[in-house]
Amino acid sequence: MARSEPPSNTKDAPESRPAAAPRRASRRGIGASVLLIVATVAVVLVAQQALRLLPDSLNPFEEETKDRSGPVLLQSIRDLSRYEAASGNFQVIVDLEKDAKFLPSSVRGSRTLFVGQGSVDAYVDFSRLGSGAITVNADRTAATVRLPRAQLDTAALDPKRSHVFATERGLINRFGDFFSGNPNDQQQLYVLASQKIQQAAAQSGLRERADQNTKLMLENMLRALGFKTVNVQAAAQ
């Protein structure tokens, strides 16, 4: 006789869910992505090193500079009648910060540190000597010279030694600089550095040094011409 098997209770049997397989697959996918990124970076670095070893003529990424400037045009010539008596070298660090009124600097704003190095010359303009500025006695043994005060020339910034030391920009500024450059920012830094150097030269005693050097030069020159008594007077302040 055939035996009757007990009916199986399908409701009580737990359903089998393959949960571990997707997790393992996802981990494998992440690991493969990381390995792909690392391999790509390694290939790029190796390629860069290999290209650096190539001669410049064979390197396709070698930068080439071409000067397409036009000819220099002479605009004017002016005669100089002044004695360069002293020159001062100056250095200034310009700390220029620009912020928005209602936004933090990390969003919109910029701060630039600029190192400016330049010089200011002090000179005496001999063209300002009047008709009675030089007097000589009858036997030509004594001379009196009345000089104008020394003047300061415009500060000349050295572009080779002046440079941007550090800069900080907000998110909006970085986004804007990505699409367009603003050369006026550099110009503003140069102008501001020149102004500060000019102000420092006016307070440095450079004019007084130029007055003394000019006086000494004229005294030595006139004594070499045979004058025994030389009196060089500077104009009033």
Side-chain angles (χ1 to χ4, degrees):
M1 296 179 59
R3 296 180 181 179
S4 60
E5 296 180 358
S8 61
N9 190 359
T10 57
K11 294 183 179 180
D12 296 336
E15 296 180 357
S16 60
R17 297 179 180 179
R23 292 181 181 176
R24 293 179 181 175
S26 60
R27 291 179 181 176
R28 292 177 181 176
I30 295 174
S33 301
V34 173
L35 290 177
L36 181 60
I37 294 174
V38 173
T40 304
V41 173
V43 169
V44 172
L45 293 177
V46 172
Q48 288 181 350
Q49 294 296 331
L51 290 175
R52 288 178 181 176
L53 298 177
L54 290 176
D56 295 342
S57 59
L58 300 178
N59 190 349
F61 300 101
E62 182 68 22
E63 187 179 74
E64 183 180 1
T65 302
K66 295 182 179 180
D67 187 1
R68 302 185 185 277
S69 305
V72 179
L73 301 178
L74 177 61
Q75 293 184 340
S76 63
I77 295 178
R78 64 187 177 97
D79 298 328
L80 298 179
S81 57
R82 65 186 192 183
Y83 173 66
E84 302 285 346
S87 180
N89 296 319
F90 301 87
Q91 182 186 63
V92 61
I93 298 179
V94 178
D95 188 351
L96 185 63
E97 185 175 1
K98 297 180 180 180
D99 293 328
K101 192 173 183 180
F102 300 105
L103 293 175
S105 58
S106 60
V107 177
R108 181 175 178 83
S110 63
R111 183 179 179 181
T112 305
L113 295 178
F114 179 79
V115 179
Q117 296 193 25
S119 61
V120 178
D121 296 332
Y123 64 93
V124 176
D125 191 358
F126 288 151
S127 65
R128 298 176 56 189
L129 293 174
S131 57
I134 301 176
T135 57
V136 179
N137 62 351
D139 55 356
R140 299 183 63 83
T141 57
T144 301
V145 182
R146 297 175 180 84
L147 286 177
R149 280 298 314 277
Q151 303 178 50
L152 295 179
D153 205 354
T154 305
L157 218 60
D158 188 353
K160 293 183 179 180
R161 298 186 298 164
S162 303
H163 60 278
V164 174
F165 178 74
T167 180
E168 297 178 358
R169 294 173 296 172
L171 182 61
I172 297 178
N173 299 83
R174 292 176 181 270
F175 185 76
D177 294 342
F178 179 79
F179 292 98
S180 62
N182 188 6
N184 293 329
D185 292 343
Q186 290 282 340
Q187 183 181 8
Q188 184 179 8
L189 293 171
Y190 273 84
V191 171
L192 191 57
S194 299
Q195 292 175 352
K196 292 183 177 297
I197 290 178
Q198 192 75 38
Q199 295 172 0
Q203 302 174 0
S204 64
L206 192 60
R207 294 181 62 189
E208 290 75 10
R209 175 70 68 87
D211 290 333
Q212 293 296 328
N213 292 342
T214 306
K215 177 180 178 181
L216 183 62
M217 182 272 296
L218 289 176
E219 288 177 350
N220 294 333
M221 184 182 67
L222 292 175
R223 287 194 176 95
L225 293 176
F227 290 93
K228 297 180 179 180
T229 302
V230 178
N231 184 17
V232 179
Q233 302 175 355
Q237 296 285 344

